[in-house]
Amino acid sequence: MHQTPAQPYDGVPDREIESLAEFDEVIATAGTLARYRVQAVDLTARTPVLLTTDTTGAVFLGCPMTPEADARVRSAGALVFPPVPGLPFDPYRGLLYTPDELFDGLAEGYASTPDAQTYAWFQETKANGDIFASMLRSVHDDAVSDALDELLAGARVVGVMGGHAMARGTAEYAGAARLGRTLARAGLTVATGGGPGAMEAANLGAYAAPFEDGMLESALRLLAKAPTFTPSVTEWASAAFEVRAQHPGGGPSVGIPTWFYGHEPPNAFAAHTAKYFSNATREDGLLARCTAGVVFLPGAAGTVQEIFDNSTPNYYESRGEPRPMVLVDEAHWTRRLPAWPLLEALARDRSMASRIVLVDRIEDAPEALKRAGN
């Protein structure tokens, strides 16, 4: 069937519809779908509306609808990208993931969850080089970036970077959790790489921010029963969901993990999870969105990479005024992995020099971050 091309988008920011409630509101108030973008909304129960509403220049991205409605909106000038069957994920999704969504079916074992199944699909399609699968991954990641931008619009975001090897039950993990809590209580949006270890600890701290201090201590004791995600992701994740069940309604934060490192599961304490297939897109996007600066906890190759990925735009001021960078643990960053001397030399005689700080104690990081941002 011939399909009339969609009209160019006019740049109006409220033309995206990402839920059935939004769809119904637009119909009730605007009475038209012309030039709207409807994203991953099940419209099978809205056939009468689709048969009678102007859809000139509209775009439907992965929206289930009846064959009758599909034929009508196409003939009326809409562009329709139909749902792709058989996928463990929605490439057109309009919202970020939640822990409940990624870990659905955890009671039957982690391998049965959408997170694990999506990683398995990624491994299979990456190996066989399927161009259609590659396109789907790109569409998915762009949709996730769009949802992340919408979520963080106007927020003061602080990144907390650190290694996945930091085990629950350690003083380091507890310190990272208290750091996340302090930053969240200061009105900042905590963003991490979304995985285990230091990342989970910071997201846990943000989750604990609305509660009395004793809640975090209780959570740390419970989590220590499953210190790491090996040998059992199921036990590790189940402990986190037990904390959430005992203390519902925690504070929000963001996790930005990747299926590129699919052996590392996402953590259950980030209320909003922007999970990507492309690690390069994920890394750059995570650091670019940390508008209030980044705290770097001890880590290995990944954290070192993040330090210098972040220092490059600060050096060239390609994102505007340099943003604060706080490195925690003097011995780690000056002797074990001496990133600090190189960072300090790089910053010399540049405006970023006043924005980089090395502290020895994690408790000093929030004040250092504040000082470097002034």
Side-chain angles (χ1 to χ4, degrees), residues 223-299:
L223 293 172
K225 298 176 183 178
T228 69
F229 62 92
T230 57
S232 173
V233 175
T234 303
E235 292 181 10
W236 175 84
S238 296
F241 279 100
E242 186 176 347
V243 169
R244 289 182 30 169
Q246 291 184 9
H247 306 280
S253 65
V254 178
I256 307 181
T258 172
W259 280 294
F260 183 81
Y261 297 132
H263 60 286
E264 295 181 14
N267 75 72
F269 293 111
H272 311 283
T273 300
K275 192 154 190 178
Y276 288 89
F277 289 105
S278 168
N279 187 51
T281 303
R282 169 252 190 172
E283 285 279 9
D284 185 68
L286 169 56
L287 294 167
R289 290 174 174 87
C290 294
T291 53
V294 183
V295 177
F296 297 92
L297 302 178

Side-chain angles (χ1 to χ4, degrees), residues 6 8 11 20 37 58 67 81 88 131 152 157 171 173 194 196 213 237 247-248 256 274 290 306 313 339 345:
L20 197 58
R37 277 64 177 132
F81 293 81
I131 185 63
L152 297 179
V157 181
Y173 184 96
D213 288 357
H247 306 280
I256 307 181
C290 294
E306 288 162 346

Side-chain angles (χ1 to χ4, degrees), residues 132-195:
F132 181 55
S134 177
M135 184 197 74
L136 291 174
R137 293 195 297 268
S138 296
V139 169
H140 169 274
D141 285 2
D142 190 65
V144 167
S145 290
D146 180 65
L148 186 58
D149 285 338
E150 292 172 355
L151 175 73
L152 297 179
R156 296 172 60 228
V157 181
V158 59
V160 179
M161 309 298 152
H164 70 268
M166 184 183 288
R168 296 166 172 175
T170 63
E172 291 77 14
Y173 184 96
R178 295 186 188 104
L179 171 66
R181 184 177 64 183
T182 299
L183 295 172
R185 286 178 174 176
L188 297 166
T189 297
V190 173
T192 78

Side-chain angles (χ1 to χ4, degrees), residues 53-252:
T53 303
D54 183 9
T55 58
T56 305
V59 180
F60 294 87
L61 298 167
C63 298
M65 60 182 77
T66 63
E68 182 184 14
D70 181 282
R72 191 270 169 185
V73 299
R74 288 175 187 266
S75 65
L79 187 62
V80 178
F81 293 81
V84 181
L87 293 177
F89 65 96
D90 183 355
Y92 303 113
R93 62 179 306 111
L95 304 173
L96 297 182
Y97 293 97
T98 66
D100 292 312
E101 181 181 2
L102 288 171
F103 285 102
D104 185 40
L106 182 64
E108 283 72 51
Y110 174 66
S112 67
T113 66
D115 185 65
Q117 291 174 358
T118 300
Y119 176 57
W121 175 90
F122 178 36
Q123 292 295 97
E124 179 183 351
T125 58
K126 186 174 63 172
N128 64 27
D130 182 1
I131 185 63
F132 181 55
S134 177
M135 184 197 74
L136 291 174
R137 293 195 297 268
S138 296
V139 169
H140 169 274
D141 285 2
D142 190 65
V144 167
S145 290
D146 180 65
L148 186 58
D149 285 338
E150 292 172 355
L151 175 73
L152 297 179
R156 296 172 60 228
V157 181
V158 59
V160 179
M161 309 298 152
H164 70 268
M166 184 183 288
R168 296 166 172 175
T170 63
E172 291 77 14
Y173 184 96
R178 295 186 188 104
L179 171 66
R181 184 177 64 183
T182 299
L183 295 172
R185 286 178 174 176
L188 297 166
T189 297
V190 173
T192 78
M199 297 171 280
E200 180 190 54
N203 288 128
L204 166 64
Y207 185 90
F211 298 99
E212 296 291 333
D213 288 357
M215 174 270 172
L216 180 55
E217 306 311 315
S218 172
L220 291 170
R221 288 192 296 272
L222 194 158
L223 293 172
K225 298 176 183 178
T228 69
F229 62 92
T230 57
S232 173
V233 175
T234 303
E235 292 181 10
W236 175 84
S238 296
F241 279 100
E242 186 176 347
V243 169
R244 289 182 30 169
Q246 291 184 9
H247 306 280

Side-chain angles (χ1 to χ4, degrees), residues 314-334:
N314 276 354
Y315 181 89
Y316 290 112
E317 299 188 38
S318 56
R319 294 181 184 141
E321 188 175 340
R323 298 170 183 176
M325 299 175 63
V326 178
L327 278 62
V328 177
D329 191 330
E330 184 174 348
H332 186 85
W333 294 121
T334 62

